[in-house]
Structures are given as C-alpha cells and as structure tokens.
C-alpha cells in the first residue's frame, strides 16, 4: 500500500500572524514538502492544478520535473490534472516527457475541476464538464497506446495521422487515477478503462464514500477487469497532529476556521465528527485512518493533506515527520493484516512494465 501527501497549493495568510507568503515562497515550500516526504519514507507526493487565486500550482509537470531531479524514489503525481480544460494532446506529451525524466516515477489523477470561471478562460463551458471529461480521456487513452492516431470529436479539432511525442517510457503509459468527490459518471469512467479511482475523502461522510467506491468496484468487475476487490482505489484524508490531542485542536482551530477549501462553515468539532478530518494525536490519526477500510475495503493508496490554510512550513515539516516516524509505519503493518492475497498492490511503472512483458 502506498502512503503520501498531496497539496492544493493555496496561498493563504497565516491567521495567527497575519503574514501571507509570497508565491515564490509557497512554490518553494511545496518542493521542500516533497523532498521531506521522500526523506521520511513516504511513497507519493501529489500536487493540485489550479489557475485561480489563491492557488499557485498552475503547471504541475513543471513542478514535478523539478522535484524529480531532487528525489530518487518518490512517486510523483497530481492531485488533479484538469482533463476538461487541458488539451489531451498536451497532457499526453507533458506526462510522457515527465516519465522519461523521472525514470517512470510518475502517475496522474484526472479531474474535472469545480471552479466555473476557469472553464471559459480555456475556451470551455462547465456545463459540459462530464462530456469533456469523457471525450478528452478517450483521446488521451489512445494517444498513449497508438503510435498514429486519427480522431474526430466535439470539443477540439480533428487529428489525422498524429503521433504524440515522446512516446510513453518503455511503452507503458502513466497510470491514471480518476478523481472525484461526488460524480458517479467519473467512477464509471474509471471502471470502464480499468483505471484507478481516487475518492478525495476530505469532505463527505463515510456513507457517501462507501457508495462511490462500491459503485466503482461493481462496475470494474462488470467490465471484466477482475473482481470488485481487485479494483484500484485511493483515498484522501486531512490530518493535523501533535503529541497531545488538545494541543493539536488548539493550534489548528484558527487555520481550520479560515481554510479556503472548507473554512467559514461547520465547527472544527462538527467537521471532524462528520468527515475523515482528524485533528489530534498520532494514535487518533492511525485509528481513524484504519477505519477507512471498514467502508472502502482493502485499497491501494492513501494521501494526506497537511499543508493547507496558511500553516507555516516549519509546522508542515513537523507533520511529515510525525507521519513518517509514528503513523505510516503502523498503518503499513496494520493494513497488511488479513489483506487477501488477490488484492493487488498499488500500480508502479516497474510492476506494470513487468506485467506487459510477462
């Protein structure tokens, strides 16, 4: 099972000091966070993609290429690659290039994006979000698997005899996760292609996550890719830890209250009760994360959000230390207990290459 962190890359004032980091500081902090993740033994670093304030990661492959040169083992991913507003030809080329630079340590998570004004900036209409996701991925899937593509669709100009370059490393395309919080159509899409499904498990209660994951698993089996238990599932989560739970709650509360993703809503206590957010001791994080398996089944990837809402870099690095030293080693051990032998590991380039040659 893979464990890692993801960042949405928000530039948010620290509510305890009033200071707002510069964009350069925030971008450099994300790089430092990725390097720290590898240092403490985590498996994955993922960055979001945003084109509107207060977020900075508008070019994920640029950042991940920079991180690739400074790491050796870390899998580099996205927490969202916008399949709706990006040209699938450019996605195919950018991520194949990144594959070569990172020696295969690359996958990506496709998402629609939920910020309406962003769509017209790229010549699209949010009302066509699902249709764009379906059509654009159908093309992307072919571009990585066919050397010469003839194609015609609704949302971009036709292609005639087109070859995306470079070709995927070793002839193995990057593994794709389809990310969704609420859209069953995206779970269906992931199942149809036999790709991974990532439910960003930070907003919704367990029963919603259970329904989405079960739908994906059932449809994965329907399309003949394996049993429901063999489907490839990833989950998100949001944690903040201190050795003492009361200290964690006291320190994190002002950040939660102004968080751009979900601040200004329910109280911290209500949100922790109703969603997977865990603010407390490392042991509380372990217990709540292990409980995800009760409604999601045995799954392959767990990513944590830990740098949101203006938290200073020093604090975030302390969180990663706690993950690496106290939380993830226990989770690795406990998630392995009674894990059925036919449940696959998280996909890696090396494993998929071996299978393709098998």
């Amino acid at each position: 099972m893979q464990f890692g962190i993801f960042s949405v890359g928000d530039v948010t004032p620290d509510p305890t000091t009033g200071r707002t980091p510069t964009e350069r500081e925030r971008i450099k902090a994300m790089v430092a966070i990725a390097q720290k993740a590898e240092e403490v033994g985590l498996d994955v670093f993922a960055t979001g993609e945003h084109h509107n304030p207060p977020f900075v990661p508008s070019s994920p492959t640029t950042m991940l290429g920079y991180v690739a040169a400074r790491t050796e083992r870390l899998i580099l991913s996205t927490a969202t690659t916008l399949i709706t507003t990006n040209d699938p030809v450019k996605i195919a080329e950018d991520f194949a290039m990144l594959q070569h630079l990172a020696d295969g340590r690359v996958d990506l998570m496709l998402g629609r994006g939920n910020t309406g004004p962003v769509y017209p900036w790229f010549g699209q209409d949010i009302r066509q979000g699902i249709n764009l996701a379906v059509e654009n991925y159908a093309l992307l899937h072919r571009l990585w698997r066919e050397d010469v593509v003839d194609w015609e669709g609704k949302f971009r100009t036709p292609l005639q005899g087109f070859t995306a370059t470079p070709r995927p490393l070793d002839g193995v395309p990057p593994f794709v996760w389809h990310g969704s919080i609420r859209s069953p159509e995206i779970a269906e899409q992931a199942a149809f292609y036999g790709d991974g499904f990532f439910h960003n498990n930070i907003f919704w209660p367990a029963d919603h996550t259970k329904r989405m994951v079960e739908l994906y698993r059932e449809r994965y089996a329907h399309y003949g890719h394996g049993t429901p238990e063999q489907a490839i599932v990833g989950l998100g989560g949001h944690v903040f830890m201190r050795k003492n739970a009361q200290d964690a709650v006291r320190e994190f509360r002002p950040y939660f209250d102004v968080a751009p993703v979900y601040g200004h809503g329910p109280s911290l206590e209500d949100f922790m009760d109703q969603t997977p957010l865990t603010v407390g001791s490392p042991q509380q994080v372990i217990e709540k994360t292990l409980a995800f398996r009760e409604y999601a089944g045995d799954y392959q990837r767990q990513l944590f959000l830990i740098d949101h809402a203006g938290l200073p870099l020093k604090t975030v690095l302390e969180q990663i230390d706690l993950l690496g030293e106290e939380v993830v080693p226990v989770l690795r051990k406990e998630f392995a207990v009674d894990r059925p032998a036919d449940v696959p590991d998280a996909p890696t380039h090396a494993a998929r290459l071996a299978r393709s040659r098998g």
Side-chain angles (χ1 to χ4, degrees):
M1 186 168 173
Q2 293 173 346
F3 295 91
I5 55 178
F6 72 98
S7 175
V8 295
D10 59 304
V11 180
T12 305
D14 184 329
T16 68
T17 66
R19 185 181 185 277
T20 303
T22 65
E23 290 180 325
R24 179 182 183 277
E25 287 173 333
R26 187 66 173 100
I27 292 166
K28 291 288 190 177
M30 291 174 69
V31 173
I33 289 165
Q35 291 177 286
K36 185 69 169 181
E38 174 162 284
E39 176 188 319
V40 304
L42 301 185
D43 304 303
V44 183
F45 170 77
T47 172
E49 178 187 346
H50 299 276
H51 300 275
N52 55 292
F55 306 99
V56 293
S58 58
S59 181
T61 53
T62 303
M63 171 169 285
L64 295 178
Y66 187 87
V67 172
R70 287 155 177 78
T71 56
E72 297 180 354
R73 183 189 53 80
L74 198 65
I75 295 171
L76 309 172
S77 187
T78 52
T80 304
T81 294
L82 298 175
I83 189 63
T84 47
T85 53
N86 281 304
D87 184 349
V89 171
K90 195 67 169 69
I91 295 176
E93 295 182 334
D94 282 352
F95 280 89
M97 176 68 77
L98 182 59
Q99 260 195 319
H100 286 271
L101 290 172
D103 299 321
R105 296 183 289 123
V106 173
D107 57 36
L108 69 160
M109 187 193 308
L110 298 179
R112 289 186 295 126
N114 58 8
T115 307
V118 172
Y119 277 71
W121 298 344
F122 294 91
Q124 302 297 348
D125 183 341
I126 194 171
R127 293 171 295 184
Q128 295 293 331
I130 294 291
N131 294 330
L132 281 161
V134 171
E135 180 178 296
N136 284 352
Y137 184 60
L139 174 56
L140 176 60
H141 192 268
R142 289 185 59 191
L143 289 169
W144 275 335
R145 290 164 175 81
E146 300 175 27
D147 288 339
V148 180
V149 173
D150 294 316
W151 178 89
E152 185 171 353
K154 178 180 178 182
F155 296 108
R156 78 172 317 280
T157 54
L159 298 173
Q160 294 182 344
F162 179 78
T163 300
T165 60
R167 304 305 297 147
L169 178 65
D170 302 318
V172 178
F175 185 76
V176 170
W177 302 83
H178 298 258
S180 180
I181 296 173
R182 61 186 178 275
S183 301
E185 296 93 339
I186 302 305
E188 177 78 15
Q189 183 181 43
F192 177 81
Y193 288 100
D195 296 335
F197 177 65
F198 190 93
H199 184 81
N200 196 358
N201 193 30
I202 62 174
F203 295 108
W204 293 76
D207 59 346
H208 173 80
T209 301
K210 184 175 188 291
R211 286 194 301 271
M212 291 288 286
V213 171
E214 285 184 347
L215 169 64
Y216 161 67
R217 290 187 184 278
E218 291 166 3
R219 300 302 289 172
Y220 182 95
H222 169 81
Y223 288 116
H225 301 298
T227 67
E229 294 76 21
Q230 292 172 323
I232 308 299
V233 174
L235 296 179
H238 190 174
V239 300
F240 185 85
M241 296 171 284
R242 289 302 185 199
K243 298 286 188 180
N244 180 285
Q246 289 76 20
D247 291 340
V249 170
R250 181 170 56 253
E251 183 175 348
F252 188 67
R253 187 183 303 279
Y255 296 95
F256 173 86
D257 288 344
V258 300
V261 169
Y262 45 51
H264 312 287
S267 70
L268 175 58
E269 286 75 12
D270 285 345
F271 208 85
M272 284 195 290
D273 181 61
Q274 297 168 17
T275 78
L277 173 65
T278 312
V279 180
S281 67
Q283 183 59 37
Q284 287 173 313
V285 169
I286 291 168
E287 291 171 0
K288 193 160 186 176
T289 305
L290 287 173
F292 295 171
R293 185 165 58 174
E294 296 173 6
Y295 53 84
D298 288 288
Y299 61 108
Q300 282 73 24
R301 175 176 285 185
Q302 175 65 55
L303 300 183
F304 295 104
L305 175 62
I306 47 99
D307 71 332
H308 179 48
L311 286 167
L313 178 59
K314 177 178 180 293
T315 301
V316 174
L317 297 180
E318 291 167 352
Q319 297 297 302
I320 299 174
D321 276 329
L322 287 169
L323 280 175
E325 294 169 5
E326 300 192 31
V327 174
V328 167
V330 178
L331 292 177
R332 289 193 197 280
K333 179 180 177 180
E334 293 298 323
F335 273 120
V337 173
D338 297 326
R339 188 179 180 92
D342 61 344
V343 172
D345 293 330
T348 64
H349 182 79
R352 297 173 70 227
L353 176 61
R355 188 162 57 249
S356 72
R357 293 174 173 175

